[in-house]
Amino acid sequence: MKVVIIGGVAAGMSAASKLKRLLKDQAEIVVYEKGEEVSYGACGIPFYISDHIRQGSELIARTAEEFAKSGIPVKTWHEVTSVDTEKKTVTVKDLKSGQVFTDTYDKLVVGSGAGVRHFPPFDQEYENLYEIRNVSDGTRVKTALLEEKTKHVVIVGAGFIGLEVSEACRRYGKDVTVVELADHILPAFDTEVSQALEEELAKNGVTVRTKTMVKELVSEGGIIKAVRIECKGEDGQAATQEIPADMLINSAGIAPSTDFIQNVEKARNGAICVNERMETSAEDVYAAGDCSIMKSAVTGQYQYAPLGTNANKQGRIIGDILGGAEPKPFKLIGSSALRLFGMDAAKVGLSEKEARANGMDIKVNTITGNSYASYYGKEKLNIKLIYDAKTRVVLGAETWGQGIVVPRANYYAIAIYAGLTVDEMGFMDLCYSPPFSGVWDAALIASNTAK
């Protein structure tokens, strides 16, 4: 069996590694990666930029050479430009030599990821326009931040990467402005969580401009000098303003890299639709990671969740299936977290906004509790619990504050996965010790006070 894998990062290399362990030399595997780097932790790039991680090489789990030694040839700088699912062939371009050739497959795995959206005015190249998708991108940003001439940084997009990079830039003493088109940062979170994080950003010197669009880039000789923005006021009226920019980072969303394959079912954003076995609508074609979309275990609707955690699990499922093993069950819940300066925040399952948009009959309970036993530490966290009004089954939770924040959200991820009610969650036998919680953990209190 010959397996061609498109993309050499989380999903692709997870599938390749698992398949190799199962079938050893019984499967011929070839990986095509259009970039230079493989198997790297993209989520760690902002922390490499901030110098919390000193070397970019620390983010790379295994190099292409190391994979080759284990029997998995990875052809870097090779871009798959088209796929013929009837003939079971891929057209490949060697980006260094320019040579174009055709390869065949028995099974095809698409793990091509996603790229930064290059909509106007970010559809042209500028010397000081950056994006962050791989370790090399992180190195370029880090190098620019070390330059004395880089004083004003504008980041477009207030998602996870954009916000984490804003903190990294402040650590270099830069003037940082984050521009976001939506009403608040992290649009997937509910407003009160985003507002708390916006206050944390402001406290640490990051200017946040929501309801704001970049209209034009003011440049000289291919170098951006300023960003012209249009922002809506409370009265709904738009006002134009120009802010200086020595460095502009485009983090305004990503687009799945799937243009090379046409005859598979795709979502509106271009992501390839897959089932719980990562199968596409085309025979013998699988997809995983940021280029794919699967159904949420909470709503049953397709949910785009481009995270390395999902990509690695999805890739492993493909490796199991192709290797003849029964894959472990995977339910997409939608779990995410971040740390900004002195505040942590996490979200699992549905936000209140998402649940109501799906027409669900829900109840919401929000509490402020202690991260530890009250006599041990003073840090506080907030828990917002979303649950079905009739069945009382947990549908989602958001946690934010100081201390032990993200683990409390993880409790609820498990509750959602298991289909627990708030009442069952309220008497969960959790570990107790003053450095970790009070006798009644904050997560138990949030569940037990749900009416």
Side-chain angles (χ1 to χ4, degrees), residues 151-337:
K151 301 182 184 301
H152 303 283
V153 179
V154 177
I155 300 170
V156 183
F160 290 92
I161 296 295
L163 294 178
E164 289 169 343
V165 171
S166 76
E167 178 177 351
C169 294
R170 282 296 296 153
R171 294 194 182 280
Y172 289 85
K174 309 302 180 182
D175 176 75
V176 181
T177 300
V178 176
V179 176
E180 170 58 45
L181 184 60
D183 292 349
H184 56 81
I185 65 172
L186 293 173
F189 282 69
D190 282 324
T191 305
E192 56 266 50
V193 187
S194 297
Q195 286 178 342
L197 289 168
E198 287 177 24
E199 291 170 5
E200 183 69 14
L201 288 164
K203 187 173 72 175
N204 286 277
V206 177
T207 301
V208 177
R209 305 292 298 268
T210 56
K211 302 180 185 177
T212 301
M213 174 186 293
V214 175
K215 299 293 289 184
E216 186 181 353
L217 303 180
V218 181
S219 64
E220 293 178 11
I223 299 176
I224 298 167
K225 298 295 184 179
V227 176
R228 197 162 288 146
I229 59 174
E230 182 180 272
C231 47
K232 289 185 178 180
E234 296 298 327
D235 57 0
Q237 297 298 312
T240 302
Q241 184 182 348
E242 198 170 285
I243 53 178
D246 303 310
M247 180 180 195
L248 179 61
I249 300 174
N250 178 15
S251 188
I254 58 175
S257 301
T258 60
D259 288 346
F260 59 88
I261 183 166
Q262 299 302 321
N263 53 337
V264 291
E265 182 185 354
K266 297 181 184 180
R268 290 180 61 184
N269 69 343
I272 300 170
C273 298
V274 298
N275 59 21
E276 67 280 359
R277 294 174 64 83
M278 305 303 124
E279 296 167 326
T280 72
S281 58
E283 187 178 4
D284 294 327
V285 178
Y286 300 79
D290 295 3
C291 67
S292 69
I293 186 170
M294 67 181 297
K295 290 183 178 179
S296 162
V298 185
T299 66
Q301 304 298 314
Y302 278 109
Q303 178 182 355
Y304 187 53
L307 290 170
T309 50
N310 298 326
N312 277 284
K313 295 183 184 79
Q314 292 166 340
R316 182 163 180 156
I317 287 171
I318 294 173
D320 278 330
I321 290 171
L322 296 183
E326 185 62 30
K328 292 182 173 63
F330 171 53
K331 294 180 181 179
L332 180 63
I333 291 170
S335 303
S336 55

Side-chain angles (χ1 to χ4, degrees), residues 51-65:
D51 218 31
H52 182 82
I53 298 169
R54 305 305 296 271
Q55 300 294 328
S57 58
E58 295 178 51
L59 296 175
I60 299 174
R62 295 172 73 187
T63 65
E65 292 74 20

Side-chain angles (χ1 to χ4, degrees), residues 407-449:
R408 265 63 183 244
N410 282 333
Y411 296 163
Y412 284 108
I414 296 169
I416 295 168
Y417 191 97
L420 300 182
T421 65
V422 290
D423 307 298
E424 291 169 322
M425 183 65 192
F427 267 63
M428 183 67 65
D429 187 12
L430 301 178
C431 294
Y432 158 66
S433 181
F436 306 107
S437 76
V439 173
W440 287 98
D441 188 277
L444 301 183
I445 295 172
S447 301
N448 285 327
T449 55

Side-chain angles (χ1 to χ4, degrees), residues 19-38:
L19 179 59
K20 187 65 179 178
R21 288 196 296 271
L22 289 172
L23 294 187
K24 298 182 172 57
D25 293 334
Q26 295 178 51
E28 179 187 355
I29 304 171
V30 60
V31 179
Y32 292 112
E33 166 55 49
K34 68 178 182 180
E36 179 182 13
E37 301 161 351
V38 301

Side-chain angles (χ1 to χ4, degrees), residues 328-356:
K328 292 182 173 63
F330 171 53
K331 294 180 181 179
L332 180 63
I333 291 170
S335 303
S336 55
L338 83 163
R339 169 170 291 172
L340 285 179
F341 298 99
M343 180 171 287
D344 294 349
K347 172 181 174 290
V348 298
L350 302 180
S351 65
E352 178 183 1
K353 176 176 58 180
E354 290 168 336
R356 296 199 187 283

